[in-house]
Amino acid sequence: MGSSVVVLGAGMVGVSVALHLRQRGLDVVLVDRQNPGEGASFGNGGLIQREAVHPHAFPRTVAELWRIARNNSVDAVYHPLALPGLTSPLLRYWWHSEPERYLKLCADYAKLIVTCLDEHMALAKPAGATDLLRPIGWMRLYNSPQQLETALAEAAVMHRDHGVNYQALDSDALAAAEPHLKVRRTGALHWTDPYSVSDPHALTNAYARLFLSLGGQFILGDATTLKQDGAGWRVQTSEGPVQAEQVVVALGIAANKVTEPLGYSPPLFGKRGYHYHFGLQGNAVLNHPFIDVASGFLLAPMRAGIRLTTGAEFARDGAEPTPVQLARAEPIARSLLPLAEKVEDKPWMGVRPCTPDMLPIIGRLPKRQNVWAAFGHAHQGLTLGPTTGRLLADMMTGEKPFIDPTPYRAERF
Ligand SMILES: Cc1cc2nc3c(=O)[nH]c(=O)nc-3n(C[C@H](O)[C@H](O)[C@H](O)COP(=O)(O)OP(=O)(O)OC[C@H]3O[C@@H](n4cnc5c(N)ncnc54)[C@H](O)[C@@H]3O)c2cc1C
């Protein structure tokens, strides 16, 4: 097994893989066309989602499908012209969301998720970044007693099966926890385990700095220049060609651009999302990130302001940003919190790299001894980066994997 590795992609996943490999003494070069953490890992909701043992399923009820088909909701929209290209992966996504199949893959997903807090801490401590991981959890707000009751019943099952912790808040308790909320709600489900990251970009950068301090290298370069070079690989960078015995593809939604020429084309599809930051009026504060369930977007207190992040937008690869969800969400957000002006002129956009079976792809590429995959982390790549980093490093160095990697193997596509 070669000891030199080039990791392509310096998002939360690639940085975590590179760091774990370097900690095991491998000679690692991390390559990205931008500085670390500037892809999807930059602008997400910042949640290290210990509660996310059930990944986002495709809606299965006619009412839900009809609501989304009308294309005027806040949480999910689509470009009609993108649908022909998305039909096949979305049909497979729908198929995998069938309740029995979904239950089985939830069990596989949960094995990764349950590790996320410890795996982040294991990197954040030596990186001096624990202050970015705020142990405040996040909340789902309900305005229907019946919906709240159903959510609490599901949470009780998640607690029993996967150790997920939560608290039920009634209307008064919610008002006490969030005194500047402008509305009363029936109550809230407070997931108490998750960390809320105050600056996801800074977290990826802190892990990247730790990697550099341990002797790893970061170089700007284009991953699509990857070519076989004898028994190893070569990629062009701003500092000339870089050669390595092994390659890790951690390019998020762009992974197929490198794996396709190597004969591997998994049905990856993107769910785009946007954010804006807002100030708060006067001395108002927001103590916890929350989703007001009827509204369908996340509001989270961040270093840069209150970050409003949107749900899923389905569009063609490379299509111009169309932040209609932000436009729909902003007035609702203003009715929930005393928001002041926007911090930025232009919204941020990122793409969640999704697979039809909702599981990431972690492991060796089919028929390739020395090319490895670490992508497809969808809604939870910030959460799962360090877990994937450790798991892949175990596999690449011949150690006993700390989680059984079989469900995430590349060959399943
Ligand atoms: C709105 C939104 C909210 C989200 N909220 C959360 C959340 O709260 N919690 C959570 O866990 N996850 C969340 N996610 C998901 C999470 O952000 C992603 O799953 C995660 O960032 C994926 O990490 P990654 O390293 O795989 O990809 P990325 O961070 O996208 O990194 C891929 C890297 O590849 C590089 N690259 C691409 N092409 C090339 C090339 N040709 N050459 C060189 N480099 C290249 C890019 O520059 C980029 O740096 C959210 C996502 C969005 C969009």
PDB file of all heavy atoms in Angstrom, residues 9-14 32-34 39-41 44-47 49 221-224 250-252 254 273 310 350 352-353 377-383, ligand 1:
ATOM      1  N   GLY A   9     -10.148  17.835  -3.155  1.00  0.00           N
ATOM      2  CA  GLY A   9     -11.313  18.477  -2.525  1.00  0.00           C
ATOM      3  C   GLY A   9     -11.030  18.785  -1.073  1.00  0.00           C
ATOM      4  O   GLY A   9     -10.729  17.879  -0.279  1.00  0.00           O
ATOM      5  N   ALA A  10     -11.104  20.074  -0.731  1.00  0.00           N
ATOM      6  CA  ALA A  10     -10.781  20.510   0.639  1.00  0.00           C
ATOM      7  C   ALA A  10     -12.002  21.086   1.324  1.00  0.00           C
ATOM      8  O   ALA A  10     -11.956  22.146   1.935  1.00  0.00           O
ATOM      9  CB  ALA A  10      -9.633  21.517   0.612  1.00  0.00           C
ATOM     10  N   GLY A  11     -13.143  20.370   1.196  1.00  0.00           N
ATOM     11  CA  GLY A  11     -14.308  20.694   2.020  1.00  0.00           C
ATOM     12  C   GLY A  11     -14.143  19.999   3.367  1.00  0.00           C
ATOM     13  O   GLY A  11     -13.085  19.432   3.670  1.00  0.00           O
ATOM     14  N   MET A  12     -15.200  20.010   4.174  1.00  0.00           N
ATOM     15  CA  MET A  12     -15.120  19.361   5.490  1.00  0.00           C
ATOM     16  C   MET A  12     -14.715  17.896   5.345  1.00  0.00           C
ATOM     17  O   MET A  12     -13.938  17.365   6.152  1.00  0.00           O
ATOM     18  CB  MET A  12     -16.466  19.493   6.219  1.00  0.00           C
ATOM     19  CG  MET A  12     -16.502  18.795   7.560  1.00  0.00           C
ATOM     20  SD  MET A  12     -15.110  19.178   8.655  1.00  0.00           S
ATOM     21  CE  MET A  12     -15.677  20.655   9.486  1.00  0.00           C
ATOM     22  N   VAL A  13     -15.214  17.236   4.280  1.00  0.00           N
ATOM     23  CA  VAL A  13     -14.908  15.807   4.124  1.00  0.00           C
ATOM     24  C   VAL A  13     -13.444  15.606   3.733  1.00  0.00           C
ATOM     25  O   VAL A  13     -12.712  14.853   4.388  1.00  0.00           O
ATOM     26  CB  VAL A  13     -15.874  15.161   3.098  1.00  0.00           C
ATOM     27  CG1 VAL A  13     -15.500  13.708   2.855  1.00  0.00           C
ATOM     28  CG2 VAL A  13     -17.322  15.252   3.592  1.00  0.00           C
ATOM     29  N   GLY A  14     -12.986  16.303   2.678  1.00  0.00           N
ATOM     30  CA  GLY A  14     -11.604  16.115   2.214  1.00  0.00           C
ATOM     31  C   GLY A  14     -10.588  16.522   3.272  1.00  0.00           C
ATOM     32  O   GLY A  14      -9.581  15.825   3.477  1.00  0.00           O
ATOM     33  N   ASP A  32      -7.259  21.615  -3.995  1.00  0.00           N
ATOM     34  CA  ASP A  32      -8.580  22.188  -4.284  1.00  0.00           C
ATOM     35  C   ASP A  32      -8.382  23.374  -5.203  1.00  0.00           C
ATOM     36  O   ASP A  32      -7.319  23.997  -5.204  1.00  0.00           O
ATOM     37  CB  ASP A  32      -9.281  22.629  -2.981  1.00  0.00           C
ATOM     38  CG  ASP A  32     -10.797  22.807  -3.149  1.00  0.00           C
ATOM     39  OD1 ASP A  32     -11.211  23.623  -4.007  1.00  0.00           O
ATOM     40  OD2 ASP A  32     -11.558  22.144  -2.428  1.00  0.00           O
ATOM     41  N   ARG A  33      -9.415  23.688  -5.974  1.00  0.00           N
ATOM     42  CA  ARG A  33      -9.272  24.867  -6.849  1.00  0.00           C
ATOM     43  C   ARG A  33      -9.514  26.156  -6.070  1.00  0.00           C
ATOM     44  O   ARG A  33      -9.254  27.249  -6.567  1.00  0.00           O
ATOM     45  CB  ARG A  33     -10.197  24.762  -8.051  1.00  0.00           C
ATOM     46  CG  ARG A  33     -11.637  24.718  -7.665  1.00  0.00           C
ATOM     47  CD  ARG A  33     -12.557  24.524  -8.847  1.00  0.00           C
ATOM     48  NE  ARG A  33     -13.907  24.338  -8.328  1.00  0.00           N
ATOM     49  CZ  ARG A  33     -14.917  23.870  -9.010  1.00  0.00           C
ATOM     50  NH1 ARG A  33     -14.752  23.514 -10.259  1.00  0.00           N
ATOM     51  NH2 ARG A  33     -16.097  23.750  -8.470  1.00  0.00           N
ATOM     52  N   GLN A  34     -10.051  26.022  -4.856  1.00  0.00           N
ATOM     53  CA  GLN A  34     -10.245  27.185  -3.979  1.00  0.00           C
ATOM     54  C   GLN A  34      -9.557  26.885  -2.651  1.00  0.00           C
ATOM     55  O   GLN A  34      -9.118  25.765  -2.417  1.00  0.00           O
ATOM     56  CB  GLN A  34     -11.717  27.405  -3.664  1.00  0.00           C
ATOM     57  CG  GLN A  34     -12.692  27.257  -4.808  1.00  0.00           C
ATOM     58  CD  GLN A  34     -14.123  27.468  -4.335  1.00  0.00           C
ATOM     59  OE1 GLN A  34     -14.550  28.594  -4.100  1.00  0.00           O
ATOM     60  NE2 GLN A  34     -14.856  26.380  -4.182  1.00  0.00           N
ATOM     61  N   GLY A  39     -16.559  25.419  -0.546  1.00  0.00           N
ATOM     62  CA  GLY A  39     -17.678  24.818  -1.278  1.00  0.00           C
ATOM     63  C   GLY A  39     -18.908  24.771  -0.381  1.00  0.00           C
ATOM     64  O   GLY A  39     -19.181  25.709   0.384  1.00  0.00           O
ATOM     65  N   ALA A  40     -19.633  23.657  -0.431  1.00  0.00           N
ATOM     66  CA  ALA A  40     -20.838  23.527   0.406  1.00  0.00           C
ATOM     67  C   ALA A  40     -20.500  23.670   1.883  1.00  0.00           C
ATOM     68  O   ALA A  40     -21.342  24.083   2.685  1.00  0.00           O
ATOM     69  CB  ALA A  40     -21.490  22.169   0.148  1.00  0.00           C
ATOM     70  N   SER A  41     -19.266  23.329   2.240  1.00  0.00           N
ATOM     71  CA  SER A  41     -18.876  23.377   3.654  1.00  0.00           C
ATOM     72  C   SER A  41     -18.823  24.802   4.199  1.00  0.00           C
ATOM     73  O   SER A  41     -18.706  24.996   5.401  1.00  0.00           O
ATOM     74  CB  SER A  41     -17.508  22.700   3.834  1.00  0.00           C
ATOM     75  OG  SER A  41     -17.596  21.356   3.426  1.00  0.00           O
ATOM     76  N   ASN A  44     -23.328  26.298   5.142  1.00  0.00           N
ATOM     77  CA  ASN A  44     -24.460  25.451   5.560  1.00  0.00           C
ATOM     78  C   ASN A  44     -25.084  25.931   6.879  1.00  0.00           C
ATOM     79  O   ASN A  44     -24.706  26.962   7.416  1.00  0.00           O
ATOM     80  CB  ASN A  44     -23.972  24.007   5.678  1.00  0.00           C
ATOM     81  CG  ASN A  44     -22.705  23.931   6.486  1.00  0.00           C
ATOM     82  OD1 ASN A  44     -22.694  24.343   7.628  1.00  0.00           O
ATOM     83  ND2 ASN A  44     -21.635  23.464   5.876  1.00  0.00           N
ATOM     84  N   GLY A  45     -25.991  25.104   7.398  1.00  0.00           N
ATOM     85  CA  GLY A  45     -26.703  25.481   8.626  1.00  0.00           C
ATOM     86  C   GLY A  45     -25.864  25.364   9.889  1.00  0.00           C
ATOM     87  O   GLY A  45     -26.306  25.757  10.973  1.00  0.00           O
ATOM     88  N   GLY A  46     -24.674  24.779   9.770  1.00  0.00           N
ATOM     89  CA  GLY A  46     -23.751  24.755  10.903  1.00  0.00           C
ATOM     90  C   GLY A  46     -24.117  23.760  11.998  1.00  0.00           C
ATOM     91  O   GLY A  46     -23.585  23.850  13.096  1.00  0.00           O
ATOM     92  N   LEU A  47     -24.987  22.800  11.678  1.00  0.00           N
ATOM     93  CA  LEU A  47     -25.400  21.870  12.731  1.00  0.00           C
ATOM     94  C   LEU A  47     -24.611  20.567  12.643  1.00  0.00           C
ATOM     95  O   LEU A  47     -24.513  19.966  11.560  1.00  0.00           O
ATOM     96  CB  LEU A  47     -26.896  21.552  12.613  1.00  0.00           C
ATOM     97  CG  LEU A  47     -27.825  22.760  12.733  1.00  0.00           C
ATOM     98  CD1 LEU A  47     -29.273  22.356  12.432  1.00  0.00           C
ATOM     99  CD2 LEU A  47     -27.735  23.375  14.131  1.00  0.00           C
ATOM    100  N   GLN A  49     -25.204  17.242  13.435  1.00  0.00           N
ATOM    101  CA  GLN A  49     -26.550  16.716  13.677  1.00  0.00           C
ATOM    102  C   GLN A  49     -26.563  15.321  14.298  1.00  0.00           C
ATOM    103  O   GLN A  49     -26.932  14.345  13.646  1.00  0.00           O
ATOM    104  CB  GLN A  49     -27.345  16.747  12.374  1.00  0.00           C
ATOM    105  CG  GLN A  49     -27.668  18.179  11.933  1.00  0.00           C
ATOM    106  CD  GLN A  49     -28.625  18.192  10.774  1.00  0.00           C
ATOM    107  OE1 GLN A  49     -28.205  18.317   9.636  1.00  0.00           O
ATOM    108  NE2 GLN A  49     -29.908  18.027  11.056  1.00  0.00           N
ATOM    109  N   GLY A 221      -5.247  23.582  -7.204  1.00  0.00           N
ATOM    110  CA  GLY A 221      -5.105  22.808  -8.439  1.00  0.00           C
ATOM    111  C   GLY A 221      -6.452  22.321  -8.930  1.00  0.00           C
ATOM    112  O   GLY A 221      -7.450  22.394  -8.205  1.00  0.00           O
ATOM    113  N   ASP A 222      -6.467  21.823 -10.173  1.00  0.00           N
ATOM    114  CA  ASP A 222      -7.712  21.360 -10.778  1.00  0.00           C
ATOM    115  C   ASP A 222      -7.753  19.834 -10.763  1.00  0.00           C
ATOM    116  O   ASP A 222      -6.965  19.178 -11.451  1.00  0.00           O
ATOM    117  CB  ASP A 222      -7.801  21.896 -12.214  1.00  0.00           C
ATOM    118  CG  ASP A 222      -9.092  21.474 -12.889  1.00  0.00           C
ATOM    119  OD1 ASP A 222      -9.880  20.701 -12.289  1.00  0.00           O
ATOM    120  OD2 ASP A 222      -9.315  21.911 -14.032  1.00  0.00           O
ATOM    121  N   ALA A 223      -8.692  19.307 -10.031  1.00  0.00           N
ATOM    122  CA  ALA A 223      -8.784  17.844  -9.857  1.00  0.00           C
ATOM    123  C   ALA A 223      -9.060  17.126 -11.169  1.00  0.00           C
ATOM    124  O   ALA A 223      -8.716  15.944 -11.307  1.00  0.00           O
ATOM    125  CB  ALA A 223      -9.886  17.519  -8.848  1.00  0.00           C
ATOM    126  N   THR A 224      -9.688  17.816 -12.126  1.00  0.00           N
ATOM    127  CA  THR A 224     -10.035  17.122 -13.377  1.00  0.00           C
ATOM    128  C   THR A 224      -8.797  16.848 -14.238  1.00  0.00           C
ATOM    129  O   THR A 224      -8.904  16.192 -15.276  1.00  0.00           O
ATOM    130  CB  THR A 224     -11.066  17.919 -14.204  1.00  0.00           C
ATOM    131  OG1 THR A 224     -10.494  19.183 -14.520  1.00  0.00           O
ATOM    132  CG2 THR A 224     -12.362  18.114 -13.442  1.00  0.00           C
ATOM    133  N   ALA A 250     -12.756  13.602  -2.922  1.00  0.00           N
ATOM    134  CA  ALA A 250     -13.645  14.181  -1.894  1.00  0.00           C
ATOM    135  C   ALA A 250     -14.167  15.516  -2.426  1.00  0.00           C
ATOM    136  O   ALA A 250     -14.067  16.546  -1.771  1.00  0.00           O
ATOM    137  CB  ALA A 250     -12.881  14.369  -0.583  1.00  0.00           C
ATOM    138  N   LEU A 251     -14.734  15.447  -3.636  1.00  0.00           N
ATOM    139  CA  LEU A 251     -15.086  16.675  -4.366  1.00  0.00           C
ATOM    140  C   LEU A 251     -16.551  17.059  -4.217  1.00  0.00           C
ATOM    141  O   LEU A 251     -17.055  17.862  -5.004  1.00  0.00           O
ATOM    142  CB  LEU A 251     -14.740  16.489  -5.848  1.00  0.00           C
ATOM    143  CG  LEU A 251     -13.237  16.366  -6.140  1.00  0.00           C
ATOM    144  CD1 LEU A 251     -13.008  15.776  -7.525  1.00  0.00           C
ATOM    145  CD2 LEU A 251     -12.559  17.733  -6.040  1.00  0.00           C
ATOM    146  N   GLY A 252     -17.253  16.507  -3.239  1.00  0.00           N
ATOM    147  CA  GLY A 252     -18.653  16.879  -3.062  1.00  0.00           C
ATOM    148  C   GLY A 252     -19.417  16.632  -4.351  1.00  0.00           C
ATOM    149  O   GLY A 252     -19.276  15.576  -4.992  1.00  0.00           O
ATOM    150  N   ALA A 254     -19.017  17.680  -7.235  1.00  0.00           N
ATOM    151  CA  ALA A 254     -18.205  17.596  -8.465  1.00  0.00           C
ATOM    152  C   ALA A 254     -17.484  16.256  -8.594  1.00  0.00           C
ATOM    153  O   ALA A 254     -16.698  16.065  -9.526  1.00  0.00           O
ATOM    154  CB  ALA A 254     -17.190  18.743  -8.486  1.00  0.00           C
ATOM    155  N   GLY A 273     -28.798  24.970  -1.952  1.00  0.00           N
ATOM    156  CA  GLY A 273     -29.341  25.736  -0.825  1.00  0.00           C
ATOM    157  C   GLY A 273     -28.660  27.097  -0.780  1.00  0.00           C
ATOM    158  O   GLY A 273     -27.565  27.276  -1.332  1.00  0.00           O
ATOM    159  N   THR A 310     -31.791  27.890   3.360  1.00  0.00           N
ATOM    160  CA  THR A 310     -32.988  27.353   2.709  1.00  0.00           C
ATOM    161  C   THR A 310     -32.894  25.847   2.527  1.00  0.00           C
ATOM    162  O   THR A 310     -31.813  25.259   2.629  1.00  0.00           O
ATOM    163  CB  THR A 310     -33.189  28.002   1.324  1.00  0.00           C
ATOM    164  OG1 THR A 310     -32.039  27.718   0.526  1.00  0.00           O
ATOM    165  CG2 THR A 310     -33.393  29.499   1.448  1.00  0.00           C
ATOM    166  N   GLY A 350     -24.838  26.935  -2.168  1.00  0.00           N
ATOM    167  CA  GLY A 350     -24.017  25.719  -2.133  1.00  0.00           C
ATOM    168  C   GLY A 350     -24.862  24.535  -2.555  1.00  0.00           C
ATOM    169  O   GLY A 350     -26.085  24.629  -2.649  1.00  0.00           O
ATOM    170  N   ARG A 352     -25.729  20.428  -1.936  1.00  0.00           N
ATOM    171  CA  ARG A 352     -25.606  19.200  -1.141  1.00  0.00           C
ATOM    172  C   ARG A 352     -25.414  18.028  -2.106  1.00  0.00           C
ATOM    173  O   ARG A 352     -26.269  17.807  -2.971  1.00  0.00           O
ATOM    174  CB  ARG A 352     -26.876  18.961  -0.325  1.00  0.00           C
ATOM    175  CG  ARG A 352     -27.243  20.084   0.647  1.00  0.00           C
ATOM    176  CD  ARG A 352     -28.633  19.820   1.218  1.00  0.00           C
ATOM    177  NE  ARG A 352     -29.111  20.863   2.107  1.00  0.00           N
ATOM    178  CZ  ARG A 352     -29.835  21.924   1.740  1.00  0.00           C
ATOM    179  NH1 ARG A 352     -30.153  22.099   0.471  1.00  0.00           N
ATOM    180  NH2 ARG A 352     -30.244  22.799   2.637  1.00  0.00           N
ATOM    181  N   PRO A 353     -24.346  17.266  -1.933  1.00  0.00           N
ATOM    182  CA  PRO A 353     -24.102  16.129  -2.847  1.00  0.00           C
ATOM    183  C   PRO A 353     -24.866  14.892  -2.389  1.00  0.00           C
ATOM    184  O   PRO A 353     -24.521  14.272  -1.391  1.00  0.00           O
ATOM    185  CB  PRO A 353     -22.580  15.916  -2.725  1.00  0.00           C
ATOM    186  CG  PRO A 353     -22.201  16.491  -1.385  1.00  0.00           C
ATOM    187  CD  PRO A 353     -23.279  17.425  -0.933  1.00  0.00           C
ATOM    188  N   HIS A 377     -22.405  13.100   0.898  1.00  0.00           N
ATOM    189  CA  HIS A 377     -22.874  13.242   2.286  1.00  0.00           C
ATOM    190  C   HIS A 377     -24.120  14.103   2.431  1.00  0.00           C
ATOM    191  O   HIS A 377     -24.552  14.400   3.558  1.00  0.00           O
ATOM    192  CB  HIS A 377     -21.744  13.789   3.164  1.00  0.00           C
ATOM    193  CG  HIS A 377     -20.605  12.835   3.323  1.00  0.00           C
ATOM    194  ND1 HIS A 377     -19.705  12.583   2.304  1.00  0.00           N
ATOM    195  CD2 HIS A 377     -20.228  12.046   4.345  1.00  0.00           C
ATOM    196  CE1 HIS A 377     -18.810  11.694   2.714  1.00  0.00           C
ATOM    197  NE2 HIS A 377     -19.106  11.352   3.950  1.00  0.00           N
ATOM    198  N   ALA A 378     -24.671  14.546   1.302  1.00  0.00           N
ATOM    199  CA  ALA A 378     -26.002  15.167   1.279  1.00  0.00           C
ATOM    200  C   ALA A 378     -26.202  16.251   2.348  1.00  0.00           C
ATOM    201  O   ALA A 378     -25.427  17.199   2.423  1.00  0.00           O
ATOM    202  CB  ALA A 378     -27.056  14.079   1.382  1.00  0.00           C
ATOM    203  N   HIS A 379     -27.226  16.054   3.189  1.00  0.00           N
ATOM    204  CA  HIS A 379     -27.601  17.084   4.170  1.00  0.00           C
ATOM    205  C   HIS A 379     -26.684  17.095   5.388  1.00  0.00           C
ATOM    206  O   HIS A 379     -26.834  17.951   6.258  1.00  0.00           O
ATOM    207  CB  HIS A 379     -29.034  16.832   4.663  1.00  0.00           C
ATOM    208  CG  HIS A 379     -30.076  17.095   3.625  1.00  0.00           C
ATOM    209  ND1 HIS A 379     -30.897  18.206   3.651  1.00  0.00           N
ATOM    210  CD2 HIS A 379     -30.434  16.400   2.523  1.00  0.00           C
ATOM    211  CE1 HIS A 379     -31.723  18.167   2.628  1.00  0.00           C
ATOM    212  NE2 HIS A 379     -31.470  17.082   1.922  1.00  0.00           N
ATOM    213  N   GLN A 380     -25.778  16.095   5.494  1.00  0.00           N
ATOM    214  CA  GLN A 380     -25.013  15.993   6.747  1.00  0.00           C
ATOM    215  C   GLN A 380     -23.502  15.872   6.555  1.00  0.00           C
ATOM    216  O   GLN A 380     -22.822  15.210   7.336  1.00  0.00           O
ATOM    217  CB  GLN A 380     -25.536  14.814   7.576  1.00  0.00           C
ATOM    218  CG  GLN A 380     -26.689  15.177   8.497  1.00  0.00           C
ATOM    219  CD  GLN A 380     -28.060  14.975   7.897  1.00  0.00           C
ATOM    220  OE1 GLN A 380     -28.271  13.999   7.182  1.00  0.00           O
ATOM    221  NE2 GLN A 380     -28.993  15.877   8.149  1.00  0.00           N
ATOM    222  N   GLY A 381     -22.968  16.558   5.550  1.00  0.00           N
ATOM    223  CA  GLY A 381     -21.518  16.463   5.311  1.00  0.00           C
ATOM    224  C   GLY A 381     -20.688  17.199   6.348  1.00  0.00           C
ATOM    225  O   GLY A 381     -19.570  16.781   6.657  1.00  0.00           O
ATOM    226  N   LEU A 382     -21.233  18.282   6.890  1.00  0.00           N
ATOM    227  CA  LEU A 382     -20.509  18.972   7.969  1.00  0.00           C
ATOM    228  C   LEU A 382     -20.460  18.049   9.189  1.00  0.00           C
ATOM    229  O   LEU A 382     -19.428  17.889   9.841  1.00  0.00           O
ATOM    230  CB  LEU A 382     -21.218  20.285   8.324  1.00  0.00           C
ATOM    231  CG  LEU A 382     -20.542  21.101   9.429  1.00  0.00           C
ATOM    232  CD1 LEU A 382     -19.275  21.760   8.914  1.00  0.00           C
ATOM    233  CD2 LEU A 382     -21.487  22.158  10.001  1.00  0.00           C
ATOM    234  N   THR A 383     -21.571  17.419   9.450  1.00  0.00           N
ATOM    235  CA  THR A 383     -21.684  16.482  10.574  1.00  0.00           C
ATOM    236  C   THR A 383     -20.722  15.305  10.431  1.00  0.00           C
ATOM    237  O   THR A 383     -20.049  14.922  11.384  1.00  0.00           O
ATOM    238  CB  THR A 383     -23.136  15.934  10.623  1.00  0.00           C
ATOM    239  OG1 THR A 383     -24.023  17.036  10.801  1.00  0.00           O
ATOM    240  CG2 THR A 383     -23.333  14.920  11.724  1.00  0.00           C
TER     241      THR A 383
HETATM  242  C1  LIG B   1     -28.001  25.303   2.655  1.00  0.00           C
HETATM  243  C2  LIG B   1     -27.261  24.121   3.208  1.00  0.00           C
HETATM  244  C3  LIG B   1     -27.381  23.816   4.564  1.00  0.00           C
HETATM  245  C4  LIG B   1     -26.700  22.717   5.090  1.00  0.00           C
HETATM  246  N1  LIG B   1     -26.739  22.493   6.447  1.00  0.00           N
HETATM  247  C5  LIG B   1     -26.001  21.489   6.986  1.00  0.00           C
HETATM  248  C6  LIG B   1     -25.937  21.300   8.378  1.00  0.00           C
HETATM  249  O1  LIG B   1     -26.505  22.071   9.166  1.00  0.00           O
HETATM  250  N2  LIG B   1     -25.223  20.246   8.865  1.00  0.00           N
HETATM  251  C7  LIG B   1     -24.541  19.384   8.040  1.00  0.00           C
HETATM  252  O2  LIG B   1     -23.932  18.440   8.526  1.00  0.00           O
HETATM  253  N3  LIG B   1     -24.538  19.581   6.699  1.00  0.00           N
HETATM  254  C8  LIG B   1     -25.240  20.592   6.153  1.00  0.00           C
HETATM  255  N4  LIG B   1     -25.268  20.789   4.800  1.00  0.00           N
HETATM  256  C9  LIG B   1     -24.562  19.824   3.941  1.00  0.00           C
HETATM  257  C10 LIG B   1     -23.056  20.048   3.951  1.00  0.00           C
HETATM  258  O3  LIG B   1     -22.760  21.414   3.763  1.00  0.00           O
HETATM  259  C11 LIG B   1     -22.404  19.242   2.854  1.00  0.00           C
HETATM  260  O4  LIG B   1     -22.824  17.889   2.903  1.00  0.00           O
HETATM  261  C12 LIG B   1     -20.881  19.244   3.017  1.00  0.00           C
HETATM  262  O5  LIG B   1     -20.401  20.558   3.048  1.00  0.00           O
HETATM  263  C13 LIG B   1     -20.218  18.463   1.903  1.00  0.00           C
HETATM  264  O6  LIG B   1     -18.836  18.529   2.166  1.00  0.00           O
HETATM  265  P1  LIG B   1     -17.813  18.060   1.068  1.00  0.00           P
HETATM  266  O7  LIG B   1     -16.454  18.237   1.631  1.00  0.00           O
HETATM  267  O8  LIG B   1     -18.207  16.717   0.564  1.00  0.00           O
HETATM  268  O9  LIG B   1     -18.094  19.054  -0.169  1.00  0.00           O
HETATM  269  P2  LIG B   1     -17.662  20.573  -0.366  1.00  0.00           P
HETATM  270  O10 LIG B   1     -17.604  21.322   0.888  1.00  0.00           O
HETATM  271  O11 LIG B   1     -18.527  21.105  -1.457  1.00  0.00           O
HETATM  272  O12 LIG B   1     -16.172  20.433  -0.889  1.00  0.00           O
HETATM  273  C14 LIG B   1     -15.855  19.977  -2.194  1.00  0.00           C
HETATM  274  C15 LIG B   1     -14.611  20.730  -2.625  1.00  0.00           C
HETATM  275  O13 LIG B   1     -14.252  20.281  -3.941  1.00  0.00           O
HETATM  276  C16 LIG B   1     -13.699  21.379  -4.619  1.00  0.00           C
HETATM  277  N5  LIG B   1     -13.712  21.136  -6.059  1.00  0.00           N
HETATM  278  C17 LIG B   1     -14.781  20.944  -6.856  1.00  0.00           C
HETATM  279  N6  LIG B   1     -14.359  20.760  -8.133  1.00  0.00           N
HETATM  280  C18 LIG B   1     -13.011  20.832  -8.118  1.00  0.00           C
HETATM  281  C19 LIG B   1     -12.004  20.709  -9.119  1.00  0.00           C
HETATM  282  N7  LIG B   1     -12.296  20.476 -10.410  1.00  0.00           N
HETATM  283  N8  LIG B   1     -10.715  20.831  -8.751  1.00  0.00           N
HETATM  284  C20 LIG B   1     -10.373  21.058  -7.453  1.00  0.00           C
HETATM  285  N9  LIG B   1     -11.280  21.190  -6.480  1.00  0.00           N
HETATM  286  C21 LIG B   1     -12.583  21.077  -6.806  1.00  0.00           C
HETATM  287  C22 LIG B   1     -14.556  22.548  -4.209  1.00  0.00           C
HETATM  288  O14 LIG B   1     -13.863  23.775  -4.407  1.00  0.00           O
HETATM  289  C23 LIG B   1     -14.820  22.238  -2.733  1.00  0.00           C
HETATM  290  O15 LIG B   1     -13.923  22.894  -1.866  1.00  0.00           O
HETATM  291  C24 LIG B   1     -25.929  21.885   4.240  1.00  0.00           C
HETATM  292  C25 LIG B   1     -25.794  22.206   2.890  1.00  0.00           C
HETATM  293  C26 LIG B   1     -26.442  23.316   2.364  1.00  0.00           C
HETATM  294  C27 LIG B   1     -26.257  23.652   0.920  1.00  0.00           C
END
